[in-house]
Amino acid sequence: MTAAGLNAACSTTILSAATRPSRVWAPHEQEVEILAETGEPFSCLNAVELFADLTTEDIAALDRTSPPRLFHSGALVFSQAQPVSALFILKAGRIRIFRVAEDGKALTIAILEPGAVFGEMLLVGQQMYDNYAEAIEDSTVCQLSAADVEEHFLSNPRMAVKISRLLGEQVARLEERLADMALRPLSARTAATLLKLTEAAPRSRFTQSQSVKLTHEQLAGLLGATREATSKTMSDFATRNLIRQGRGRIIIEDPAGLRRTSRTTF
């Protein structure tokens, strides 16, 4: 190619790049993607016990109206500033449900694993304005509208019984946590919380130990404690060989020791 031809080609390439539309970064916008259709059957409902009484036709109809959405780590599924009147099913990843007190302190109500249903208050006609839901890792979520919930769930007596039980369990868990925060020492609450989280944690293929993917800040929010106090408790657990700590990961070394600690009252 001659020098003149090379210059013309470079000019064309530079002009093309300069005129190509680019996406303006906006920090207030969440990165939420609707996952592309793959041609393979996808259902958020099949693996959730709450929906076991729905007919195949109902599940197929709901799947068509609730495509999976990807929330990147740190994105809010809903918040006080962006309330959503919908019921959510977590297909993959993990979601943190939390509230923010008047002093700005966040209290984590729950950390949800795949298969969880959240936004349950919609089922009894109440809004979720007090709560936030945040993806703490890349998460796939399906969303059912209020109209879908009313049409497919509330008209089914067996579903209504399951919904009542679900809401009752939610209230019982919250009351238990409030009682723990008022009456039990932080070490006992931390041990009990770690044991609870390990119920859904996978085992290592080689050591059979279980690990919890959680930072000290996230654990502190779940305990209703400061990060400093939580880190001090975790250091004490590590010194006693109850746990081993990694980057954003807690490996449970001595479940029996944690169980004994969880029963202490001082």
Side-chain angles (χ1 to χ4, degrees):
M1 181 179 290
T2 64
L6 182 61
N7 287 336
C10 289
S11 298
T12 301
T13 302
I14 293 170
L15 179 61
S16 173
T19 57
R20 187 181 300 127
S22 60
R23 183 169 178 247
V24 179
W25 179 76
H28 62 279
E29 294 181 0
Q30 299 179 43
E31 286 191 69
V32 179
E33 304 170 15
I34 296 181
L35 300 182
E37 293 287 344
T38 62
E40 299 178 358
F42 181 98
S43 176
C44 269
L45 282 67
N46 281 338
V48 182
E49 193 271 338
L50 177 63
F51 308 126
D53 291 325
L54 291 178
T55 65
T56 304
E57 291 76 15
D58 280 339
I59 289 179
L62 287 170
D63 281 337
R64 286 193 294 272
T65 61
S66 56
R69 307 177 74 192
L70 174 64
F71 290 83
H72 292 289
S73 179
L76 292 175
V77 181
F78 60 78
S79 68
Q80 287 185 336
Q82 297 174 311
V84 180
S85 183
L87 185 71
F88 302 91
I89 303 103
L90 179 57
K91 183 70 176 179
R94 291 189 303 159
I95 298 288
R96 176 173 77 115
I97 307 295
F98 66 99
R99 292 185 179 185
V100 178
E102 291 183 1
D103 62 359
K105 184 178 179 180
L107 173 64
T108 300
I109 298 171
I111 292 180
L112 305 177
E113 302 286 342
V117 177
F118 58 107
E120 307 99 311
M121 295 310 295
L122 174 71
L123 295 170
V124 289
Q126 301 197 14
Q127 304 298 329
M128 302 174 292
Y129 295 148
D130 292 338
N131 290 347
Y132 294 76
E134 175 196 22
I136 57 176
E137 58 188 57
D138 288 356
S139 301
T140 304
V141 177
C142 290
Q143 178 178 321
L144 300 176
S145 70
D148 289 331
V149 169
E150 185 171 350
E151 177 182 353
H152 294 277
F153 298 160
L154 301 185
S155 60
N156 184 324
R158 294 181 67 179
M159 290 292 297
V161 170
K162 286 188 175 183
I163 289 165
S164 297
R165 188 184 307 128
L166 176 70
L167 293 173
E169 290 171 354
Q170 176 87 343
V171 171
R173 284 196 298 269
L174 187 55
E175 288 179 345
E176 182 182 0
R177 288 198 57 220
L178 292 174
D180 281 350
M181 289 171 63
L183 302 173
R184 300 175 71 193
L186 180 58
S187 58
R189 290 178 5 232
T190 305
T193 299
L194 291 175
L195 289 170
K196 186 70 176 175
L197 292 171
T198 58
E199 292 177 4
R203 290 187 178 274
S204 166
R205 272 176 30 188
F206 304 105
T207 64
Q208 289 300 300
S209 62
Q210 290 177 285
S211 62
V212 177
K213 293 167 61 179
L214 213 61
T215 66
H216 284 192
E217 185 174 357
Q218 291 166 346
L219 181 59
L222 197 55
L223 294 167
T226 64
R227 187 187 185 283
E228 292 76 13
T230 302
S231 294
K232 183 178 179 181
T233 300
M234 295 296 288
S235 295
D236 176 59
F237 284 4
T239 301
R240 293 161 55 192
N241 295 320
L242 300 177
I243 63 168
R244 195 157 38 88
Q245 301 188 79
R247 187 175 180 83
R249 187 180 296 273
I250 304 161
I251 298 94
I252 307 303
E253 294 285 310
D254 185 1
L258 281 177
R259 198 165 290 107
R260 288 191 296 272
T261 302
S262 70
R263 300 191 186 107
T264 59
T265 56
F266 56 88

